[in-house]
Amino acid sequence: MTATAVDDRSLISHTGLWYFPIAFLARLPFAMMVVGVLTLVVSVRGSVALGGLTSAAVGIGTVIAGPLVGDAVDRLGQRRVLVPLGLVNGALLIAFPFVASSNLVDGMLLTAAFLIGLSAPQAAAMSRSRMMTIIRDRLSPHRRIRTFSRSMAYESAADETAFVIGPVVVGILASFIAPWVPIAAAAVLSLVFVTAFALHPTARVSTSHGESVAEMAPARDLLRAPVLVLVAATFAVGMFFGSTLTSLTAFMSERNDVDAASLMYGVMGIGSAVLALAVAVLPTRFALRWRWMLFAGVLAASALGFALSDSVGGVTLMLAVMGLGVGPTLVTLYSLAGQRSPVGRSATIMTVLGSAVALSQSLSAAVTGAVAEAFGARTAMVLPFLAAGVVVGLGVLNLVIERRARRTPVGSLEVPRALECPRPVG
């Protein structure tokens, strides 16, 4: 992708057909890590609490590395950062089953999980950053707004689909072959497809315009309230994911069918992926702030139903409904993040959001695992409802932030200014 002139071609004409399957498969290792680590540790070591702590270690590593990786990508380009990360992450994933099944102390197990998270390439955040840059710098102005909305919807749907397929693959491989096989499969995917994603021609978009570090907005711009509320909301969505998966694992463990938990968890992602794609056809007059409130409300109501369910059938039904809320909520949050991203900081903000989800997912998995062991699965199943309530509360806070912003000369935060005013090209 060396051409830099703005033209009237579609987004896919700039990316090529092969970009999307490669980018999708590059997401799967990240989608399989937390579930695979949790399933393996619970199966091998026999402790839901330890499994949750190990998942938390993955998340802690991811959140520490996320902003650093995003900043490095914004400065150096994706290829120089993603190629070594993919290779290191694949090697660490290969080693993890040996560590888990050995007689090494729990501290070594947690260290290995932390290193896996630290080296996570976060292909989803990198893909969003690439799409934003291509839309801003290479599409004709009349295409940008609609293409941006559809692109963010697709990216979130791809995430949700990956998080459906990831747990399902983990569940199938763990149930029918062995608990270590999903981690080995994630290692192969990381080595092959993360590398292919890093080497794809679209990886050059972040450096193709000769952007210098001086053109990047200062890091303090990431600490503004309109950005921080999105980070907090994605953190809460991660809390929802982690508490749902772990409480579901505890629920099925009490029924001596722990491997089925991953398959049931995948049910939530079916509606999530479908609704995430459907968001792209919603009218633009349906403002993002109100989409946030609507879909977060659906999430909270279904999470309450999940907490009150006491049968496998009832839990499965509530998981399906929960998916109808969480997918569109994520689309909305990432769309707002794309609009509010400071100049030159798109990769940074996307990795920060991805890290927030991963960290909170892992930390809530640890807390939920401890609650499940101390008080039982029924108590642990209340935690997803609390997380969904936080998402709703932050949606209300976002309304306040936007109302205040509209009183300033800058205007509404709904306007994606980065898309309206691309930097010079050519």
Side-chain angles (χ1 to χ4, degrees):
M1 293 189 61
T2 58
T4 60
V6 171
D7 59 46
D8 200 42
R9 291 184 298 160
S10 65
L11 177 64
I12 198 169
S13 298
H14 288 277
T15 62
L17 289 173
W18 283 105
Y19 170 78
F20 294 97
I22 291 173
F24 177 78
L25 291 171
R27 300 169 197 257
L28 286 180
F30 194 76
M32 296 170 65
M33 283 178 192
V34 173
V35 181
V37 164
L38 177 65
T39 302
L40 176 62
V41 173
V42 172
S43 297
V44 173
R45 302 267 177 135
S47 171
V48 175
L50 180 59
L53 284 173
T54 309
S55 295
V58 175
I60 292 171
T62 300
V63 78
I64 290 174
L68 300 177
V69 170
D71 184 70
V73 166
D74 282 329
R75 295 173 185 274
L76 303 174
Q78 292 194 14
R79 285 187 172 180
R80 295 181 182 179
V81 178
L82 291 183
V83 171
L85 277 181
L87 297 176
V88 170
N89 188 250
L92 290 170
L93 286 168
I94 290 173
F96 186 77
F98 296 98
V99 175
S101 59
S102 69
N103 293 323
L104 293 174
V105 296
D106 293 346
M108 292 297 295
L109 181 68
L110 296 175
T111 299
F114 172 78
L115 293 175
I116 288 174
L118 197 67
S119 62
Q122 301 192 36
M126 297 299 105
S127 182
R128 283 187 174 89
S129 179
R130 290 187 197 183
M131 294 301 98
M132 287 171 59
T133 304
I134 293 171
I135 293 167
R136 180 196 66 207
D137 294 341
R138 303 190 177 183
L139 267 63
S140 57
H142 76 275
R143 284 185 177 270
R144 288 179 190 142
I145 303 301
R146 175 60 66 182
T147 304
F148 174 77
S149 176
R150 291 175 176 174
S151 174
M152 291 301 102
Y154 166 76
E155 290 291 332
S156 293
D159 281 348
E160 292 303 310
T161 304
F163 277 97
V164 173
I165 294 176
V168 169
V169 171
V170 169
I172 291 174
L173 295 179
S175 299
F176 294 100
I177 304 179
W180 60 267
V181 175
I183 298 295
V188 173
L189 289 170
S190 185
L191 290 170
V192 176
F193 288 101
V194 171
T195 302
F197 174 75
L199 296 177
H200 191 274
T202 55
R204 292 198 293 266
V205 297
S206 61
T207 55
S208 62
H209 302 293
E211 295 172 344
S212 66
V213 174
E215 293 175 345
M216 294 172 61
R220 64 177 177 272
D221 283 0
L222 295 170
L223 301 179
R224 296 181 299 115
V227 174
L228 291 178
V229 72
L230 300 179
V231 176
T234 52
F235 189 91
V237 171
M239 290 169 52
F240 171 82
F241 281 133
S243 57
T244 300
L245 172 60
T246 309
S247 61
L248 176 62
T249 301
F251 178 79
M252 295 306 296
S253 179
E254 290 180 353
R255 287 155 179 77
N256 299 315
D257 195 11
V258 66
D259 292 337
S262 295
L263 296 174
M264 292 177 64
Y265 185 69
V267 171
M268 184 176 70
I270 296 174
S272 182
V274 172
L275 263 291
L277 282 173
V279 168
V281 302
L282 291 175
T284 55
R285 63 179 179 272
F286 186 8
L288 293 175
R289 59 184 178 274
W290 298 118
R291 297 182 193 185
W292 183 343
M293 295 303 303
L294 172 63
F295 294 117
V298 172
L299 184 64
S302 55
L304 178 59
F306 175 80
L308 297 176
S309 299
D310 57 3
S311 67
V312 173
V315 166
T316 303
L317 176 62
M318 286 300 103
L319 286 169
V321 180
M322 287 155 77
L324 303 181
V326 71
T329 300
L330 274 178
V331 172
T332 301
L333 294 175
Y334 276 109
S335 295
L336 285 169
Q339 294 179 3
R340 300 176 187 180
S341 175
V343 174
R345 292 284 183 178
S346 61
T348 302
I349 194 170
M350 291 304 169
T351 51
V352 166
L353 294 187
S355 297
V357 172
L359 174 66
S360 57
Q361 181 179 8
S362 299
L363 291 178
S364 64
V367 172
T368 306
V371 170
E373 288 207 348
F375 304 103
R378 299 294 308 162
T379 301
M381 291 170 70
V382 176
L383 299 182
F385 172 67
L386 299 180
V390 173
V391 179
V392 174
L394 289 169
V396 175
L397 178 59
N398 180 69
L399 292 177
V400 175
I401 292 172
E402 290 203 14
R403 184 175 296 111
R404 290 179 178 175
R406 287 195 297 274
R407 293 173 182 172
T408 68
V410 174
S412 172
L413 288 171
E414 290 291 336
V415 179
R417 291 180 291 276
L419 298 181
E420 289 189 332
C421 304
R423 289 185 293 280
V425 295

